[in-house]
Amino acid sequence: MKYRVGCPESVSQNTKSRGWIRSRRRMEATPPRCLFLLFLFTCKLSPDVAAEIQESSDGSSAPQEPVRLTGVPAAMEFIAAAEVAVIGFFQDLEIPAVPVFHGVVQKFQDVSFGISTDSEVLAHYNITENTIALFRLVDNEQLNLESEDIENIDDTRLSRFIEINSLHFVTEYNPATVIGLFNSMVQIHLLLMMDKASPEYEESLHRYHKAAKLFQGKILFILVDSGVKENGKVISFFKLKKSELPALAIYRTLDEEWDTLHVTEVSIERVQNFCDGFLKGKRLVSVRLQGRQVECSSFLCLYYSY
């Protein structure tokens, strides 16, 4: 299966590539970037944790149905109102993909589903054939499963497509979402490593989410639950210990530069200052993974270098 990645306003900028994932990013990834991606793929979840993710994906709340989108303004408003929206653009509602599309709606309670057969809507989004498209606000991407892909689509394949690519303003780390994260055009990731069972979690997440909106299209915000045993590898990768958590780690995929910051309290201002500093080239600890050398750019580096 393949899918096309493109900007909602223009599909003409797409870059075609072989394989299941098509990305507008240059496909010739640098070796250092592959190093961290390979590391993340080796952090597999235990069967119990994987089952928990599947259970949360299936959900048990009130049933939802796809919203019928009968005009361009309605479609634009629908997409703008959802962090992640999946729309079935169908020229024919009798094809096998339509019941499959309806079938997966209940599995993703944090995704908005729509359906449209309106010719003007299809034309507005450059749709020329039966297509299932995922739109996300966090990086303004449109990802398309086109006719050749959905001819033999089934529940498992469509669910996988949505699960991998459902990036929100704050995306929780797991082996599925990491694939979507590294296929985003946004090359800087911020990780909040924190135990979801801690009393401060809900308020911290609320502030973290607010801060994420300030960097839409610039930085992807990720949550790493330190209470999950398997996530210990991600934490140790940034040379952190559980006793130093909660902490922020910011990471650039292009050259593997990263920085960390211990936070006793997650505040919008502190998150914003940390991100702004990284974007301006300021580091508390500047690390280039290729060669594993630590370079000090401030006195605080001394506290992280041993």
Side-chain angles (χ1 to χ4, degrees):
M1 183 187 299
K2 306 171 186 175
Y3 63 85
R4 187 185 299 262
V5 178
C7 198
E9 296 302 322
S10 174
V11 182
S12 63
Q13 297 178 357
N14 296 337
T15 299
K16 296 182 179 179
S17 62
R18 294 177 179 268
W20 196 58
I21 294 178
R22 294 184 179 181
S23 174
R24 288 190 298 138
R25 178 184 297 168
R26 294 178 181 176
M27 299 305 293
E28 57 271 18
T30 59
R33 177 176 176 271
C34 296
L35 173 66
F36 185 51
L37 184 56
L38 178 62
F39 174 85
L40 290 176
F41 281 138
T42 63
C43 301
K44 296 181 180 179
L45 294 181
S46 66
D48 291 342
V49 176
E52 183 178 327
I53 290 177
Q54 180 62 42
E55 182 179 342
S56 64
S57 176
D58 291 343
S60 57
S61 56
Q64 62 171 334
E65 293 292 331
V67 176
R68 288 300 296 263
L69 304 172
T70 57
V72 173
M76 294 178 66
E77 182 178 355
F78 178 79
I79 292 170
E83 288 192 28
V84 178
V86 176
I87 301 178
F89 296 106
F90 298 118
Q91 297 171 326
D92 179 4
L93 291 178
E94 300 301 319
I95 63 172
V98 175
V100 173
F101 181 81
H102 280 274
V104 302
V105 171
Q106 303 309 319
K107 302 179 75 172
F108 299 93
Q109 297 298 317
D110 57 350
V111 174
S112 297
F113 287 84
I115 192 168
S116 182
T117 58
D118 188 292
S119 59
E120 292 185 0
V121 174
L122 272 63
H124 180 78
Y125 291 102
N126 298 293
I127 305 297
T128 58
E129 54 191 355
N130 293 311
T131 301
I132 297 174
L134 183 146
F135 299 83
R136 58 193 189 207
L137 290 183
V138 68
D139 56 0
N140 196 35
E141 288 282 8
Q142 174 185 336
L143 297 89
N144 294 343
L145 277 175
E146 297 182 339
S147 183
E148 62 186 78
D149 303 316
I150 66 176
E151 285 180 359
N152 299 309
I153 196 73
D154 58 22
D155 181 280
T156 301
R157 291 177 180 176
L158 182 54
S159 295
R160 178 77 172 162
F161 167 74
I162 297 171
E163 182 182 12
I164 286 176
N165 295 295
S166 291
L167 304 185
H168 295 261
F169 281 112
V170 175
T171 301
E172 184 165 358
Y173 166 80
N174 64 55
T177 57
V178 73
I179 301 174
L181 289 166
F182 273 84
N183 278 284
S184 170
M185 291 291 290
V186 179
Q187 297 180 337
I188 298 178
H189 301 170
L190 180 71
L191 292 78
L192 170 61
M193 288 167 277
M194 185 176 192
D195 192 337
K196 290 175 65 175
S198 68
E200 300 81 13
Y201 168 72
E202 291 295 338
E203 183 60 31
S204 296
L205 181 63
H206 178 68
R207 294 170 182 166
Y208 191 58
H209 189 275
K210 280 190 172 183
K213 292 184 177 181
L214 301 176
F215 294 93
Q216 180 181 358
K218 296 180 180 179
I219 300 175
L220 295 179
F221 279 54
I222 304 164
L223 172 67
V224 179
D225 183 3
S226 60
V228 175
K229 182 179 178 181
E230 288 74 14
N231 287 346
K233 292 183 179 180
V234 180
I235 296 166
S236 62
F237 184 85
F238 290 102
K239 303 186 183 298
L240 291 168
K241 301 176 181 178
K242 291 198 73 171
S243 60
E244 297 175 300
L245 305 182
L248 296 169
I250 195 164
Y251 168 82
R252 185 166 54 223
T253 63
L254 182 64
D255 56 9
E256 295 282 350
E257 288 281 347
W258 57 266
D259 198 6
T260 58
L261 176 67
H262 169 68
V263 288
T264 54
E265 179 182 350
V266 178
S267 69
I268 299 173
E269 182 180 7
R270 197 162 194 188
V271 172
Q272 184 176 4
N273 289 341
F274 183 56
C275 292
D276 284 338
F278 188 85
L279 292 173
K280 294 175 182 177
K282 299 177 182 178
R283 307 285 190 273
L284 298 179
V285 181
S286 180
V287 183
R288 183 177 297 276
L289 297 182
Q290 188 174 21
R292 298 284 178 172
Q293 295 181 346
V294 178
E295 301 172 354
C296 298
S297 59
S298 77
F299 181 75
L300 289 177
C301 175
L302 296 176
Y303 294 98
Y304 292 89
S305 60
Y306 63 87

